[in-house]
Amino acid sequence: MKIVRNFSFLTLSQTGERFFNFLLVVILARYLGVEEYGIYALTVSFVGMFGNLFDGGLNFLLTREIASSRKNEAVFFTQVLLLKIIIGAIVFIALIAAAFVMQYNTKVFFTIVLFAVAALIVSFSNTFRALFIGHERMEFEGGLAVLYRFLGFIGIFFLLKAGISFPVLILPHVAAALIVLSLSYYLQTKIFPLVKSKGYLNIKKMEIFKQAAPFAVWAIMGEIYFNIDSVILSKLADIKTLANYNAANRLVFASLLLANGLTLAIYPHFAKMWSGNKAHVYTTFNLIFKLLFFISLPLSFVVSFFAEDIIVFVFGSKFYESGSILRILVWAMIPLYLYHLTGRTLEAIGEQKFVAKTIFFCVVGNILFNIIFIPFYGAKGAAITSVTTSALLLSIHLVFINKKVGMFQIGDIVHKIVVPFACFVLTLIITTNFLNWMISAALGFLVYFFILYTLKGIKWDEIEILLGHERKIYE
């Protein structure tokens, strides 16, 4: 099994990617101030809602096909690429039209246009990179992702030093996207050459599009779900409120690194194993579910406990108001950690239609609740909505997975975490009165993981599942 190997590559690469992305956000916030940073936050959220429309679900389908067949089908890949060109052009025009309809000022509008160009180019590089993921060669995917963030960061940093602002400040993203697209194409042709097979010679674009549609709906609804709150805030509140909310939001999503890396690593493995070894999928699912919950619960609590201290440390005192937003929003971390696992598991076993339906349902709820709560509670209303709808989405997934894969072992998880978590909370409460918040948090985690290890919350033979050694782990 390549789960640990792929997870290691993805974790390292995503650590680098998130580091440069997060560092960029911090520098922009400190250099530009709350309101100018709000332009960047709005741009990323607005374009982000259309990001997966550029893909149309085709990259996920391509990855699954390669993971299942272990072949780079030339006809299939060519048809996918042609569909991407058609879809990309339509979506780009629609995105620009939507920005125009929203009546943003000139600076915001052209900032959105340039960032949309970068997103379109990245979507084409992602098609080539889908081949790498399908072959479980995450080092190529990870390296290119880090390179894109690094080049964008370096370019924007020097432009900031030169006193350049938006929309020109987005140009490094466009340049970085072009470089990564060129490298993706080069690696694909040299390492993963395309081959023709009789089974794919007569496949039609419409057939591919129909297969990809459920992936597209899931991905698109996911992007809308995670970005619509910022767009609604931009119209129902002011740019300062949006900036404060986005600062808290960035911290929460920066923490999703582990969940994203681990679940992306297991996606092609589950797709390959589901037809022949469902018991193994069930066992691995339970193990990863437990790991993600054991990490996300204390992490959510400590961020909520020290919310203002963390915000000021990262973004500066100008963003102090974000602390009260972060204290609420961080509790979405637990369902989001686990949603990464449930969503990708369901996709891998062919249930992408169900995933698409559930995310659509939650997007509608997210929009309605935001429209209701934001006028009364501002950014806190958006935070409450995010926590509520993410918990609802996870609950729906778990009910379905219980029927499809098997009952996940929640009793074992709760039993093993109660005592370590109680000691963790007690440590924070006692030490926060006389220790620096960072030292107090570090001490709390040491206590938590030591007790968890002592009580055998995670056993070595469970870890061996990720290392590829099959054993019976549940008595």
Side-chain angles (χ1 to χ4, degrees):
M1 186 193 300
K2 297 180 179 178
I3 291 179
V4 170
R5 175 183 176 276
N6 288 333
F7 172 60
S8 299
F9 279 123
L10 283 172
T11 299
L12 288 173
S13 64
Q14 289 189 11
T15 298
E17 185 185 3
R18 296 289 178 95
F19 171 76
F20 287 118
N21 190 41
F22 190 68
L23 190 59
L24 174 62
V25 168
V26 172
I27 289 175
L28 285 172
R30 289 180 175 270
Y31 264 83
L32 300 177
V34 178
E35 293 191 3
E36 270 301 281
Y37 170 74
I39 294 176
Y40 181 76
L42 172 59
T43 298
V44 172
S45 295
F46 190 87
V47 175
M49 290 197 304
F50 292 83
N52 279 303
L53 275 171
F54 288 128
D55 168 47
L58 295 166
N59 290 346
F60 285 104
L61 179 63
L62 185 60
T63 295
R64 195 180 72 177
E65 287 296 313
I66 292 171
S68 300
S69 67
R70 315 307 293 177
K71 296 178 182 178
N72 294 340
E73 303 294 346
V75 176
F76 190 85
F77 181 82
T78 302
Q79 296 284 52
V80 166
L81 204 56
L82 289 172
L83 276 171
K84 285 287 294 285
I85 293 172
I86 297 169
I87 293 171
I90 294 171
V91 172
F92 183 80
I93 294 171
L95 189 157
I96 303 307
F100 182 79
V101 170
M102 293 294 283
Q103 297 183 329
Y104 293 125
N105 63 47
T106 303
K107 178 186 282 191
V108 173
F109 178 79
F110 282 106
T111 302
I112 289 173
V113 170
L114 283 177
F115 199 74
V117 171
L120 177 60
I121 297 169
V122 168
S123 76
F124 283 105
S125 73
N126 288 343
T127 302
F128 292 101
R129 289 151 60 185
L131 295 171
F132 311 151
I133 299 174
H135 284 285
E136 299 184 73
R137 296 295 300 274
M138 306 301 183
E139 63 269 31
F140 296 112
E141 156 63 18
L144 291 167
V146 172
L147 180 64
Y148 172 69
R149 296 296 181 184
F150 172 74
L151 293 175
F153 168 76
I154 293 297
I156 291 174
F157 179 77
F158 281 111
L159 289 183
L160 280 173
K161 284 289 188 179
I164 305 297
S165 186
F166 299 113
V168 178
L169 206 54
I170 296 297
L171 284 177
H173 279 302
V174 178
L178 287 169
I179 292 171
V180 169
L181 174 59
S182 301
L183 285 173
S184 300
Y185 172 74
Y186 175 80
L187 289 171
Q188 180 270 306
T189 55
K190 293 296 182 181
I191 302 174
F192 302 102
L194 301 175
V195 296
K196 290 185 177 180
S197 102
K198 294 181 180 180
Y200 284 86
L201 291 178
N202 297 317
I203 193 165
K204 304 297 182 182
K205 292 184 185 67
M206 187 54 65
E207 181 182 344
I208 295 174
F209 183 76
K210 288 179 180 179
Q211 292 182 45
F215 289 104
V217 173
W218 170 79
I220 293 163
M221 289 297 105
E223 290 295 346
I224 294 175
Y225 176 80
F226 290 122
N227 291 290
I228 192 64
D229 44 9
S230 294
V231 176
I232 294 175
L233 274 170
S234 74
K235 302 306 294 183
L236 298 183
D238 53 39
I239 201 73
K240 184 178 179 181
T241 301
L242 168 60
N244 280 315
Y245 177 79
N246 187 265
N249 204 28
R250 285 285 177 173
L251 281 173
V252 172
F253 280 91
S255 68
L256 298 178
L257 169 67
L258 175 67
N260 190 52
L262 184 55
T263 56
L264 185 58
I266 60 98
Y267 172 72
H269 179 74
F270 277 5
K272 181 172 60 178
M273 297 295 293
W274 178 245
S275 60
N277 195 349
K278 291 181 173 60
H280 177 78
V281 172
Y282 167 78
T283 298
T284 308
F285 174 87
N286 272 283
L287 169 59
I288 297 175
F289 187 95
K290 181 164 63 172
L291 286 172
L292 293 177
F293 186 73
F294 281 2
I295 292 169
S296 61
L297 177 60
L299 189 57
S300 298
F301 185 87
V302 78
V303 173
S304 182
F305 197 77
F306 295 116
E308 281 82 7
D309 295 302
I310 294 172
I311 284 289
V312 172
F313 175 76
V314 175
F315 294 103
S317 58
K318 290 181 289 187
F319 284 82
Y320 182 82
E321 294 178 22
S322 294
S324 58
I325 302 169
L326 179 62
R327 179 169 287 108
I328 300 170
L329 187 61
V330 73
W331 290 105
M333 188 188 302
I334 299 173
L336 289 178
Y337 255 62
L338 301 175
Y339 162 76
H340 274 74
L341 174 62
T342 58
R344 285 198 169 121
T345 299
L346 289 170
E347 277 189 333
I349 66 175
E351 295 295 339
Q352 60 268 21
K353 289 184 179 180
F354 176 80
V355 175
K357 290 176 182 177
T358 56
I359 192 68
F360 177 79
F361 171 75
C362 287
V363 164
V364 173
N366 196 311
I367 294 172
L368 291 176
F369 287 143
N370 272 311
I371 291 174
I372 293 170
F373 290 135
I374 287 175
F376 293 99
Y377 303 108
K380 291 182 180 178
I384 293 170
T385 297
S386 293
V387 174
T388 303
T389 53
S390 59
L392 177 62
L393 179 59
L394 174 66
S395 299
I396 295 172
H397 277 199
L398 289 177
V399 169
F400 187 81
I401 284 177
N402 281 342
K403 296 179 180 179
K404 192 71 180 180
V405 180
M407 177 68 72
F408 67 101
Q409 302 187 348
I410 189 66
D412 179 64
I413 295 173
V414 173
H415 170 71
K416 291 179 178 177
I417 201 174
V418 169
V419 174
F421 183 69
C423 294
F424 170 74
V425 172
L426 188 61
T427 301
L428 293 183
I429 293 173
I430 293 173
T431 59
T432 190
N433 294 318
F434 57 88
L435 290 177
N436 173 274
W437 69 270
M438 286 186 280
I439 298 174
S440 178
L443 184 61
F445 278 113
L446 285 173
V447 170
Y448 172 77
F449 285 112
F450 174 76
I451 297 176
L452 191 64
Y453 174 78
T454 303
L455 297 180
K456 297 182 179 181
I458 297 290
K459 299 176 183 178
W460 175 249
D461 53 1
E462 290 177 320
I463 299 300
E464 286 189 321
I465 291 294
L466 297 181
L467 296 174
H469 306 301
E470 294 290 342
R471 290 189 183 185
K472 181 183 177 183
I473 51 179
Y474 295 112
E475 300 293 341

PDB file of all heavy atoms in Angstrom, residues 122-145:
ATOM      1  N   VAL A 122      -4.446  27.402 -14.192  1.00  0.00           N
ATOM      2  CA  VAL A 122      -4.182  26.351 -13.206  1.00  0.00           C
ATOM      3  C   VAL A 122      -5.069  25.140 -13.447  1.00  0.00           C
ATOM      4  O   VAL A 122      -4.652  23.996 -13.260  1.00  0.00           O
ATOM      5  CB  VAL A 122      -4.380  26.894 -11.772  1.00  0.00           C
ATOM      6  CG1 VAL A 122      -4.410  25.756 -10.753  1.00  0.00           C
ATOM      7  CG2 VAL A 122      -3.267  27.871 -11.415  1.00  0.00           C
ATOM      8  N   SER A 123      -6.309  25.371 -13.886  1.00  0.00           N
ATOM      9  CA  SER A 123      -7.222  24.246 -14.116  1.00  0.00           C
ATOM     10  C   SER A 123      -6.696  23.319 -15.211  1.00  0.00           C
ATOM     11  O   SER A 123      -6.894  22.104 -15.158  1.00  0.00           O
ATOM     12  CB  SER A 123      -8.623  24.759 -14.487  1.00  0.00           C
ATOM     13  OG  SER A 123      -8.678  25.229 -15.820  1.00  0.00           O
ATOM     14  N   PHE A 124      -6.010  23.881 -16.202  1.00  0.00           N
ATOM     15  CA  PHE A 124      -5.428  23.039 -17.264  1.00  0.00           C
ATOM     16  C   PHE A 124      -4.208  22.278 -16.751  1.00  0.00           C
ATOM     17  O   PHE A 124      -4.004  21.112 -17.111  1.00  0.00           O
ATOM     18  CB  PHE A 124      -5.066  23.892 -18.475  1.00  0.00           C
ATOM     19  CG  PHE A 124      -6.251  24.282 -19.306  1.00  0.00           C
ATOM     20  CD1 PHE A 124      -6.747  25.568 -19.251  1.00  0.00           C
ATOM     21  CD2 PHE A 124      -6.895  23.358 -20.109  1.00  0.00           C
ATOM     22  CE1 PHE A 124      -7.857  25.934 -20.008  1.00  0.00           C
ATOM     23  CE2 PHE A 124      -7.997  23.705 -20.860  1.00  0.00           C
ATOM     24  CZ  PHE A 124      -8.487  25.010 -20.805  1.00  0.00           C
ATOM     25  N   SER A 125      -3.400  22.908 -15.924  1.00  0.00           N
ATOM     26  CA  SER A 125      -2.258  22.173 -15.343  1.00  0.00           C
ATOM     27  C   SER A 125      -2.757  21.049 -14.452  1.00  0.00           C
ATOM     28  O   SER A 125      -2.140  19.976 -14.375  1.00  0.00           O
ATOM     29  CB  SER A 125      -1.348  23.125 -14.562  1.00  0.00           C
ATOM     30  OG  SER A 125      -1.924  23.523 -13.348  1.00  0.00           O
ATOM     31  N   ASN A 126      -3.903  21.259 -13.781  1.00  0.00           N
ATOM     32  CA  ASN A 126      -4.472  20.222 -12.910  1.00  0.00           C
ATOM     33  C   ASN A 126      -4.891  18.979 -13.693  1.00  0.00           C
ATOM     34  O   ASN A 126      -4.908  17.868 -13.156  1.00  0.00           O
ATOM     35  CB  ASN A 126      -5.675  20.768 -12.142  1.00  0.00           C
ATOM     36  CG  ASN A 126      -5.271  21.739 -11.058  1.00  0.00           C
ATOM     37  OD1 ASN A 126      -4.111  21.789 -10.660  1.00  0.00           O
ATOM     38  ND2 ASN A 126      -6.213  22.526 -10.581  1.00  0.00           N
ATOM     39  N   THR A 127      -5.240  19.154 -14.972  1.00  0.00           N
ATOM     40  CA  THR A 127      -5.617  18.004 -15.802  1.00  0.00           C
ATOM     41  C   THR A 127      -4.418  17.089 -16.025  1.00  0.00           C
ATOM     42  O   THR A 127      -4.520  15.863 -15.931  1.00  0.00           O
ATOM     43  CB  THR A 127      -6.181  18.480 -17.154  1.00  0.00           C
ATOM     44  OG1 THR A 127      -7.307  19.329 -16.923  1.00  0.00           O
ATOM     45  CG2 THR A 127      -6.609  17.302 -18.005  1.00  0.00           C
ATOM     46  N   PHE A 128      -3.268  17.677 -16.317  1.00  0.00           N
ATOM     47  CA  PHE A 128      -2.053  16.871 -16.455  1.00  0.00           C
ATOM     48  C   PHE A 128      -1.660  16.253 -15.115  1.00  0.00           C
ATOM     49  O   PHE A 128      -1.225  15.102 -15.042  1.00  0.00           O
ATOM     50  CB  PHE A 128      -0.905  17.739 -16.990  1.00  0.00           C
ATOM     51  CG  PHE A 128      -1.097  18.192 -18.404  1.00  0.00           C
ATOM     52  CD1 PHE A 128      -1.537  19.475 -18.682  1.00  0.00           C
ATOM     53  CD2 PHE A 128      -0.859  17.319 -19.463  1.00  0.00           C
ATOM     54  CE1 PHE A 128      -1.720  19.899 -19.997  1.00  0.00           C
ATOM     55  CE2 PHE A 128      -1.036  17.727 -20.771  1.00  0.00           C
ATOM     56  CZ  PHE A 128      -1.473  19.025 -21.039  1.00  0.00           C
ATOM     57  N   ARG A 129      -1.849  17.013 -14.048  1.00  0.00           N
ATOM     58  CA  ARG A 129      -1.461  16.525 -12.720  1.00  0.00           C
ATOM     59  C   ARG A 129      -2.395  15.432 -12.210  1.00  0.00           C
ATOM     60  O   ARG A 129      -2.031  14.649 -11.324  1.00  0.00           O
ATOM     61  CB  ARG A 129      -1.402  17.698 -11.735  1.00  0.00           C
ATOM     62  CG  ARG A 129      -0.214  18.617 -12.011  1.00  0.00           C
ATOM     63  CD  ARG A 129      -0.446  20.049 -11.603  1.00  0.00           C
ATOM     64  NE  ARG A 129      -0.723  20.195 -10.197  1.00  0.00           N
ATOM     65  CZ  ARG A 129      -1.057  21.355  -9.623  1.00  0.00           C
ATOM     66  NH1 ARG A 129      -1.168  22.442 -10.352  1.00  0.00           N
ATOM     67  NH2 ARG A 129      -1.285  21.404  -8.332  1.00  0.00           N
ATOM     68  N   ALA A 130      -3.625  15.376 -12.773  1.00  0.00           N
ATOM     69  CA  ALA A 130      -4.546  14.298 -12.404  1.00  0.00           C
ATOM     70  C   ALA A 130      -3.960  12.939 -12.771  1.00  0.00           C
ATOM     71  O   ALA A 130      -4.235  11.926 -12.124  1.00  0.00           O
ATOM     72  CB  ALA A 130      -5.897  14.492 -13.092  1.00  0.00           C
ATOM     73  N   LEU A 131      -3.137  12.893 -13.826  1.00  0.00           N
ATOM     74  CA  LEU A 131      -2.459  11.650 -14.199  1.00  0.00           C
ATOM     75  C   LEU A 131      -1.520  11.191 -13.096  1.00  0.00           C
ATOM     76  O   LEU A 131      -1.432  10.003 -12.777  1.00  0.00           O
ATOM     77  CB  LEU A 131      -1.658  11.862 -15.494  1.00  0.00           C
ATOM     78  CG  LEU A 131      -2.437  12.170 -16.773  1.00  0.00           C
ATOM     79  CD1 LEU A 131      -1.469  12.567 -17.881  1.00  0.00           C
ATOM     80  CD2 LEU A 131      -3.258  10.975 -17.201  1.00  0.00           C
ATOM     81  N   PHE A 132      -0.795  12.147 -12.493  1.00  0.00           N
ATOM     82  CA  PHE A 132       0.160  11.801 -11.442  1.00  0.00           C
ATOM     83  C   PHE A 132      -0.557  11.219 -10.229  1.00  0.00           C
ATOM     84  O   PHE A 132      -0.105  10.240  -9.629  1.00  0.00           O
ATOM     85  CB  PHE A 132       0.970  13.035 -11.020  1.00  0.00           C
ATOM     86  CG  PHE A 132       1.572  13.816 -12.160  1.00  0.00           C
ATOM     87  CD1 PHE A 132       1.791  15.176 -12.048  1.00  0.00           C
ATOM     88  CD2 PHE A 132       1.913  13.189 -13.352  1.00  0.00           C
ATOM     89  CE1 PHE A 132       2.344  15.900 -13.086  1.00  0.00           C
ATOM     90  CE2 PHE A 132       2.465  13.906 -14.402  1.00  0.00           C
ATOM     91  CZ  PHE A 132       2.680  15.273 -14.269  1.00  0.00           C
ATOM     92  N   ILE A 133      -1.692  11.830  -9.869  1.00  0.00           N
ATOM     93  CA  ILE A 133      -2.458  11.348  -8.713  1.00  0.00           C
ATOM     94  C   ILE A 133      -3.018   9.961  -8.992  1.00  0.00           C
ATOM     95  O   ILE A 133      -3.010   9.078  -8.128  1.00  0.00           O
ATOM     96  CB  ILE A 133      -3.594  12.330  -8.365  1.00  0.00           C
ATOM     97  CG1 ILE A 133      -3.012  13.706  -7.989  1.00  0.00           C
ATOM     98  CG2 ILE A 133      -4.443  11.795  -7.204  1.00  0.00           C
ATOM     99  CD1 ILE A 133      -4.065  14.776  -7.769  1.00  0.00           C
ATOM    100  N   GLY A 134      -3.515   9.746 -10.205  1.00  0.00           N
ATOM    101  CA  GLY A 134      -4.060   8.442 -10.571  1.00  0.00           C
ATOM    102  C   GLY A 134      -3.036   7.333 -10.471  1.00  0.00           C
ATOM    103  O   GLY A 134      -3.360   6.197 -10.123  1.00  0.00           O
ATOM    104  N   HIS A 135      -1.787   7.652 -10.768  1.00  0.00           N
ATOM    105  CA  HIS A 135      -0.703   6.675 -10.656  1.00  0.00           C
ATOM    106  C   HIS A 135      -0.085   6.671  -9.255  1.00  0.00           C
ATOM    107  O   HIS A 135       0.932   6.008  -9.035  1.00  0.00           O
ATOM    108  CB  HIS A 135       0.386   6.975 -11.686  1.00  0.00           C
ATOM    109  CG  HIS A 135       0.024   6.578 -13.082  1.00  0.00           C
ATOM    110  ND1 HIS A 135       0.028   5.263 -13.503  1.00  0.00           N
ATOM    111  CD2 HIS A 135      -0.393   7.315 -14.146  1.00  0.00           C
ATOM    112  CE1 HIS A 135      -0.339   5.222 -14.769  1.00  0.00           C
ATOM    113  NE2 HIS A 135      -0.601   6.442 -15.185  1.00  0.00           N
ATOM    114  N   GLU A 136      -0.695   7.410  -8.337  1.00  0.00           N
ATOM    115  CA  GLU A 136      -0.235   7.506  -6.943  1.00  0.00           C
ATOM    116  C   GLU A 136       1.222   7.998  -6.874  1.00  0.00           C
ATOM    117  O   GLU A 136       2.008   7.544  -6.045  1.00  0.00           O
ATOM    118  CB  GLU A 136      -0.386   6.162  -6.224  1.00  0.00           C
ATOM    119  CG  GLU A 136      -1.835   5.677  -6.160  1.00  0.00           C
ATOM    120  CD  GLU A 136      -2.009   4.403  -5.360  1.00  0.00           C
ATOM    121  OE1 GLU A 136      -1.911   4.458  -4.121  1.00  0.00           O
ATOM    122  OE2 GLU A 136      -2.225   3.348  -5.985  1.00  0.00           O
ATOM    123  N   ARG A 137       1.539   8.950  -7.751  1.00  0.00           N
ATOM    124  CA  ARG A 137       2.850   9.593  -7.732  1.00  0.00           C
ATOM    125  C   ARG A 137       2.658  11.026  -7.233  1.00  0.00           C
ATOM    126  O   ARG A 137       2.750  11.994  -7.988  1.00  0.00           O
ATOM    127  CB  ARG A 137       3.481   9.555  -9.122  1.00  0.00           C
ATOM    128  CG  ARG A 137       3.774   8.156  -9.629  1.00  0.00           C
ATOM    129  CD  ARG A 137       4.831   7.449  -8.792  1.00  0.00           C
ATOM    130  NE  ARG A 137       6.093   8.155  -8.789  1.00  0.00           N
ATOM    131  CZ  ARG A 137       7.039   8.016  -9.720  1.00  0.00           C
ATOM    132  NH1 ARG A 137       6.835   7.171 -10.726  1.00  0.00           N
ATOM    133  NH2 ARG A 137       8.164   8.689  -9.651  1.00  0.00           N
ATOM    134  N   MET A 138       2.412  11.130  -5.936  1.00  0.00           N
ATOM    135  CA  MET A 138       2.032  12.410  -5.353  1.00  0.00           C
ATOM    136  C   MET A 138       3.195  13.400  -5.282  1.00  0.00           C
ATOM    137  O   MET A 138       2.982  14.591  -5.079  1.00  0.00           O
ATOM    138  CB  MET A 138       1.461  12.195  -3.943  1.00  0.00           C
ATOM    139  CG  MET A 138       0.327  11.205  -3.867  1.00  0.00           C
ATOM    140  SD  MET A 138      -1.078  11.684  -4.898  1.00  0.00           S
ATOM    141  CE  MET A 138      -2.250  10.386  -4.507  1.00  0.00           C
ATOM    142  N   GLU A 139       4.430  12.904  -5.450  1.00  0.00           N
ATOM    143  CA  GLU A 139       5.572  13.808  -5.372  1.00  0.00           C
ATOM    144  C   GLU A 139       5.546  14.838  -6.500  1.00  0.00           C
ATOM    145  O   GLU A 139       5.960  15.995  -6.315  1.00  0.00           O
ATOM    146  CB  GLU A 139       6.894  13.029  -5.388  1.00  0.00           C
ATOM    147  CG  GLU A 139       7.176  12.226  -6.639  1.00  0.00           C
ATOM    148  CD  GLU A 139       6.660  10.804  -6.566  1.00  0.00           C
ATOM    149  OE1 GLU A 139       5.646  10.586  -5.892  1.00  0.00           O
ATOM    150  OE2 GLU A 139       7.274   9.920  -7.199  1.00  0.00           O
ATOM    151  N   PHE A 140       5.044  14.438  -7.689  1.00  0.00           N
ATOM    152  CA  PHE A 140       4.966  15.369  -8.802  1.00  0.00           C
ATOM    153  C   PHE A 140       3.850  16.391  -8.574  1.00  0.00           C
ATOM    154  O   PHE A 140       4.038  17.589  -8.782  1.00  0.00           O
ATOM    155  CB  PHE A 140       4.728  14.616 -10.108  1.00  0.00           C
ATOM    156  CG  PHE A 140       5.854  13.704 -10.490  1.00  0.00           C
ATOM    157  CD1 PHE A 140       5.691  12.328 -10.477  1.00  0.00           C
ATOM    158  CD2 PHE A 140       7.093  14.211 -10.845  1.00  0.00           C
ATOM    159  CE1 PHE A 140       6.727  11.478 -10.816  1.00  0.00           C
ATOM    160  CE2 PHE A 140       8.143  13.375 -11.193  1.00  0.00           C
ATOM    161  CZ  PHE A 140       7.960  12.007 -11.171  1.00  0.00           C
ATOM    162  N   GLU A 141       2.689  15.883  -8.157  1.00  0.00           N
ATOM    163  CA  GLU A 141       1.565  16.772  -7.861  1.00  0.00           C
ATOM    164  C   GLU A 141       1.942  17.769  -6.764  1.00  0.00           C
ATOM    165  O   GLU A 141       1.711  18.972  -6.885  1.00  0.00           O
ATOM    166  CB  GLU A 141       0.352  15.940  -7.437  1.00  0.00           C
ATOM    167  CG  GLU A 141      -0.681  16.650  -6.578  1.00  0.00           C
ATOM    168  CD  GLU A 141      -1.347  17.820  -7.272  1.00  0.00           C
ATOM    169  OE1 GLU A 141      -1.294  17.910  -8.508  1.00  0.00           O
ATOM    170  OE2 GLU A 141      -1.916  18.652  -6.552  1.00  0.00           O
ATOM    171  N   GLY A 142       2.543  17.258  -5.703  1.00  0.00           N
ATOM    172  CA  GLY A 142       2.906  18.118  -4.575  1.00  0.00           C
ATOM    173  C   GLY A 142       3.949  19.143  -4.935  1.00  0.00           C
ATOM    174  O   GLY A 142       3.852  20.320  -4.553  1.00  0.00           O
ATOM    175  N   GLY A 143       4.962  18.732  -5.685  1.00  0.00           N
ATOM    176  CA  GLY A 143       6.030  19.648  -6.060  1.00  0.00           C
ATOM    177  C   GLY A 143       5.531  20.804  -6.915  1.00  0.00           C
ATOM    178  O   GLY A 143       5.931  21.959  -6.720  1.00  0.00           O
ATOM    179  N   LEU A 144       4.643  20.513  -7.859  1.00  0.00           N
ATOM    180  CA  LEU A 144       4.095  21.559  -8.719  1.00  0.00           C
ATOM    181  C   LEU A 144       3.191  22.518  -7.945  1.00  0.00           C
ATOM    182  O   LEU A 144       3.178  23.726  -8.205  1.00  0.00           O
ATOM    183  CB  LEU A 144       3.330  20.919  -9.879  1.00  0.00           C
ATOM    184  CG  LEU A 144       4.204  20.192 -10.902  1.00  0.00           C
ATOM    185  CD1 LEU A 144       3.339  19.336 -11.826  1.00  0.00           C
ATOM    186  CD2 LEU A 144       5.022  21.191 -11.719  1.00  0.00           C
ATOM    187  N   ALA A 145       2.429  21.974  -6.996  1.00  0.00           N
ATOM    188  CA  ALA A 145       1.554  22.821  -6.177  1.00  0.00           C
ATOM    189  C   ALA A 145       2.372  23.802  -5.344  1.00  0.00           C
ATOM    190  O   ALA A 145       2.039  24.988  -5.237  1.00  0.00           O
ATOM    191  CB  ALA A 145       0.681  21.946  -5.269  1.00  0.00           C
TER     192      ALA A 145
END
